[in-house]
Amino acid sequence: MTRWHKPQQVKLQFLTGNIYRRIPLFKEPESFQLFLDSLDYCRGKYELQIYAFVLMPDHFHLLVGVPKDGILSNFLRDWKGYTGHLLVEELRRLRKDSWLEKFQTRNTRRRKDSRFRIFQPDTHVEAIVSRRFALQKLRYIHKNPVMARLVEREADYPYSSARNWLLNDHSVFRVDPLEL
């Protein structure tokens, strides 16, 4: 039986987003840092709690609280747009024209400055409604690089909050404490 929860009961969200055409953009430390800087900026703007993250070469997962205004779509739109803009500018600065071509869109109805798409437009969102489900998603986020054979141990992957959770190392990015 499906159990429905009122929106005010949902305190956590699990998000999954993909890079356009699943292109492995996030292999370079610079692009990872832009991703985190943008996430941190939008965290402040939307008063959003970020509890866990992993940035894989072609996708990401986040475990976040509900924004103060209660509208997650506003955060996602602004954050993905802002991050995409920063990444396009970085690719231009580094003169990585072959990479820019991969992200070029043919949609002429979009704004003139939006010739590139970094993220797929859709983001998978799951409401976390139990402690058990929250722990499952937290483990999934941190095990993702191990399952993809990028590292042997969760804490070895630099683009994840596993270091925060397992080693209490907040030097790369500060995640918010989550009591489960």
Side-chain angles (χ1 to χ4, degrees):
M1 179 170 99
T2 302
R3 192 168 156 206
W4 295 98
H5 299 272
K6 295 178 183 175
Q8 62 268 27
Q9 292 177 314
V10 175
K11 303 292 185 207
L12 292 173
Q13 303 277 344
F14 173 74
L15 313 176
T16 299
N18 295 313
I19 305 305
Y20 187 56
R21 300 178 181 154
R22 298 296 297 246
I23 298 167
L25 174 64
F26 293 110
K27 288 186 172 184
E28 304 296 324
E30 298 83 11
S31 57
F32 170 69
Q33 194 57 52
L34 285 174
F35 178 93
L36 287 184
D37 290 347
S38 175
L39 187 59
D40 199 38
Y41 170 77
C42 288
R43 167 188 11 211
K45 179 178 178 182
Y46 287 93
E47 299 181 42
L48 181 77
Q49 303 292 308
I50 300 171
Y51 302 111
F53 70 91
V54 65
L55 179 57
M56 301 295 286
D58 63 355
H59 69 280
F60 66 87
H61 300 290
L62 299 171
L63 185 61
V64 302
V66 176
K68 187 174 184 179
D69 67 2
I71 305 171
L72 190 63
S73 60
N74 290 342
F75 159 75
L76 286 170
R77 178 199 61 228
D78 291 352
W79 172 62
K80 287 168 65 175
Y82 180 62
T83 305
H85 172 75
L86 291 176
L87 289 164
V88 166
E89 290 304 311
E90 182 68 6
L91 292 171
R92 283 181 174 146
R93 187 184 71 75
L94 297 173
R95 300 183 189 277
K96 293 194 173 187
D97 295 334
S98 63
W99 276 91
L100 282 170
E101 287 176 18
K102 294 176 185 182
F103 294 106
Q104 210 159 14
T105 63
R106 293 184 183 13
N107 189 348
T108 57
R109 294 182 355 180
R110 296 185 64 180
R111 293 187 329 241
K112 185 178 178 184
D113 63 338
S114 300
R115 295 180 313 162
F116 303 98
R117 175 173 282 158
I118 297 296
F119 295 103
Q120 295 282 22
D122 57 332
T123 301
H124 178 76
V125 178
E126 290 183 64
I128 305 295
V129 295
S130 72
R131 180 182 185 277
R132 182 176 177 209
F133 195 38
L135 288 170
Q136 175 192 2
K137 292 303 182 184
L138 187 63
R139 282 192 287 275
Y140 178 81
I141 286 170
H142 293 153
K143 289 193 179 298
N144 214 265
V146 176
M147 299 304 290
R149 292 188 164 94
L150 298 174
V151 292
E152 288 186 26
R153 298 177 315 152
E154 296 166 29
D156 292 340
Y157 193 66
Y159 310 139
S160 160
S161 59
R163 299 169 90 120
N164 301 72
W165 282 85
L166 301 172
L167 305 175
N168 200 27
D169 176 1
H170 301 275
S171 62
V172 174
F173 187 81
R174 179 187 58 81
V175 294
D176 296 295
L178 176 63
E179 301 209 14
L180 294 174

